[in-house]
Amino acid sequence: MISVLYVDDEPDLLDIAKLFLEKTEEFKVFIANSVDEGFEILHETPIDVIVSDYQMPYKSGIQFLKEFRSIPDNRPFILFTGRGREEIVIEAINSGADFYLQKGGDIRAQFAELALKIRQGAARYQAELLLNKNHEELQAAYEELASSEEELKANFVELSENRHALAISEKRLSDIINFLPDATFAIDSKGVIITWNKAIEEMTGCPASDMVGKGNYEYAIPFYGKRIPILIDYILSDLPNIEDRYNSIIRDGNKLSAETSYPKLKGRPMIAWGIATPLYNEYGKVNGAIESIRDITLQKENEVKLKRSEEVYRSVIENIQDGYFRSDTKGNLILASPSFARLFGYDSTDEIMHRSIADTFYYEPKDRDEILKKMHESGPFANLEVKVRKKDGTSFFVEGSSQLYYDSEGNIAGTEGIFRDVTNRKKIEAELTEKEEHLKTIIQNVPVSVHRYTLLDDNRLIFSGSNKAADNFIGTDISQLIGKTIEEAFPKLIKTEIPDLYRKVAKTGEKVTKEKICFNMMDLDGCCIDMTIINIGPGEIAVFWEKVKE
């Protein structure tokens, strides 16, 4: 019968637990309302398993557990509580709890689970005690064997008993192996399977009952579909060509570690990491081997994905036309594309790595400080024009886009961005502006009447100016009409084809000439004109017209 101490500050729950557990006649339950009362029972009564609530007055279940373990005392301790927060579970396990069981739900199922944990804890503790006892007995036997040959003969019967105890100990060891998380099996010196744990049952789909006791490379069939030597066999025999089947082989004394692929595990390929090591008998002689196998397929797939991602990233960095850069929190360059180095007149990125970005590349280093301040205040920016300088000191303009980047913990790690050389664009823009101004000067002074219009995105056609000849023809200064739509400036044109014709030229860019168009404009009497409409820029037109001579 298993004696149980149950400590809880809820008397009703203590009575229910005692009633339920003792009903099976498998347990004898001693109950206590506090930790101090529990320790009194422990001092007076042999107890096999301790069960304790978590939250109690004066001392909690965790304090009880810590004091109990500090004695020291290794008897099974089960935390049975209604609180299920993750930090409580972690603290309980770290403090030495054997099991953590949460209250709640169906009462029968709850106490049935508690009874199961008590049995497991008691069984495991008794197994440990027996194992220690057997170990001590075996050690004593070895010491006696070393004393003399006559004593060895006299104690032959006792030696047989000790061997039996060793077998029991090995059985206990096998049970421990059975609970290892990695797939594990062991063979004797003849290659016969002696242990096949639950994890390898799940991995292969082969139960231990079908595997233990079999030899002739039976353990290879679930992995390769045939009987062949595998990693564990290289421990027992000096087999050749291990490199042909395994990758990344590591030899550490007699232990072998290696990576391999299993083509037919449950009908699918698997990449695994295996570790094999010898087993020794009491005389230090190899009498078997043990191998643990871990499925690293997902890990390898992620490594491949990461490698491909890095290759793509590297390809982008190496082939990007704009100059990419990344700096640390101190403003020093830690990553740059080859195009970034070329942009500033350097032969390679090696010349510029770990340099201050502000001092090395900005024409005015203080400009970068202002940009960083705005970035911290307003976030990323794009297409900001910045004056920078080349290796030889030559200044030029770039269009920059930049943002902060962060480390895995969410802290600012630095900045990254792109620089694009806009020197040629600015030159072209300046030339274009100069040409436009020159064209406007020509238009303003030609003897032919000229009106200018701008077409907006919403299809409104805005009167944007006229030359002297047009003002003289109309007989008034019409500058007050600038900024108005054609319909507002010249309402008498609304019912004519003129507004649509102007919009068409502004959109298509084609040149249109109309002869002898007669209409009224402003306060002039009806007259006829010859008209030429041309596109002078995106969405802009100029209308050249002159009165038809009678």
Side-chain angles (χ1 to χ4, degrees), residues 242-304:
I242 184 174
E243 292 80 6
D244 295 342
R245 185 169 299 149
Y246 293 93
N247 302 320
S248 306
I249 301 169
I250 299 174
R251 299 179 185 271
D252 183 9
N254 292 329
K255 182 172 70 175
L256 276 178
S257 304
E259 179 185 310
T260 189
S261 297
Y262 296 128
K264 292 186 177 181
L265 187 64
K266 287 187 178 179
R268 65 174 180 84
M270 182 187 83
I271 302 174
W273 181 258
I275 300 176
T277 188
L279 293 176
Y280 300 91
N281 63 15
E282 62 269 32
Y283 304 111
K285 183 179 179 181
V286 174
N287 66 344
I290 186 169
E291 179 175 349
S292 291
I293 301 166
R294 179 172 296 176
D295 184 352
I296 59 170
T297 307
L298 182 59
Q299 174 186 331
K300 300 301 288 187
E301 289 175 352
N302 289 337
E303 287 176 0
V304 171

Side-chain angles (χ1 to χ4, degrees), residues 86-351:
E86 182 180 351
E87 60 268 22
I88 295 176
V89 178
I90 294 172
E91 185 180 11
I93 298 303
N94 290 340
S95 298
D98 294 271
F99 299 103
Y100 179 94
L101 189 61
Q102 188 172 351
K103 299 175 184 177
D106 182 73
I107 192 70
R108 292 182 178 274
Q110 175 179 273
F111 284 109
E113 178 67 13
L114 177 60
L116 177 61
K117 296 301 184 186
I118 292 172
R119 292 189 198 97
Q120 291 178 343
R124 186 165 65 186
Y125 182 65
Q126 291 301 320
E128 291 174 356
L129 291 177
L130 181 59
L131 185 61
N132 290 336
K133 179 181 177 183
N134 290 337
H135 178 75
E136 292 172 359
E137 292 176 354
L138 186 60
Q139 185 65 34
Y142 286 151
E143 291 175 358
E144 291 175 6
L145 285 172
S147 63
S148 68
E149 183 178 355
E150 291 296 325
E151 200 171 37
L152 177 63
K153 293 178 180 179
N155 293 305
F156 180 76
V157 174
E158 185 178 352
L159 177 60
S160 297
E161 292 175 353
N162 288 331
R163 286 179 175 175
H164 177 67
L166 179 60
I168 295 174
S169 178
E170 290 175 348
K171 175 62 171 59
R172 302 300 184 194
L173 178 61
S174 177
D175 291 340
I176 293 172
I177 292 173
N178 203 36
F179 285 99
L180 292 176
D182 285 331
T184 305
F185 72 100
I187 59 175
D188 62 18
S189 58
K190 296 180 180 179
V192 176
I193 301 170
I194 57 175
T195 300
W196 189 266
N197 78 347
K198 289 186 180 297
I200 202 168
E201 284 183 332
E202 295 175 0
M203 177 181 285
T204 62
C206 300
S209 57
D210 292 345
M211 302 299 293
V212 174
K214 294 183 178 180
N216 193 24
Y217 304 121
E218 183 77 17
Y219 39 81
I221 295 176
F223 297 100
Y224 292 99
K226 56 184 177 180
R227 301 176 187 276
I228 57 173
I230 64 174
L231 189 64
I232 197 171
D233 296 297
Y234 290 91
I235 293 293
L236 297 179
S237 304
D238 189 18
L239 297 173
N241 305 323
I242 184 174
E243 292 80 6
D244 295 342
R245 185 169 299 149
Y246 293 93
N247 302 320
S248 306
I249 301 169
I250 299 174
R251 299 179 185 271
D252 183 9
N254 292 329
K255 182 172 70 175
L256 276 178
S257 304
E259 179 185 310
T260 189
S261 297
Y262 296 128
K264 292 186 177 181
L265 187 64
K266 287 187 178 179
R268 65 174 180 84
M270 182 187 83
I271 302 174
W273 181 258
I275 300 176
T277 188
L279 293 176
Y280 300 91
N281 63 15
E282 62 269 32
Y283 304 111
K285 183 179 179 181
V286 174
N287 66 344
I290 186 169
E291 179 175 349
S292 291
I293 301 166
R294 179 172 296 176
D295 184 352
I296 59 170
T297 307
L298 182 59
Q299 174 186 331
K300 300 301 288 187
E301 289 175 352
N302 289 337
E303 287 176 0
V304 171
K305 291 178 182 178
L306 178 61
K307 183 178 180 181
R308 290 175 180 170
S309 176
E310 290 174 346
E311 289 174 351
V312 170
Y313 179 74
R314 188 180 302 109
S315 176
V316 169
I317 294 299
E318 290 178 353
N319 295 287
I320 189 172
Q321 296 302 307
D322 295 330
Y324 172 82
F325 69 92
R326 173 174 280 195
S327 69
D328 59 20
T329 53
K330 296 180 180 179
N332 296 322
L333 189 68
I334 59 173
L335 179 64
S337 65
S339 56
F340 184 88
R342 293 193 299 269
L343 178 65
F344 288 90
Y346 293 89
D347 295 329
S348 72
T349 57
D350 293 337
E351 293 185 71

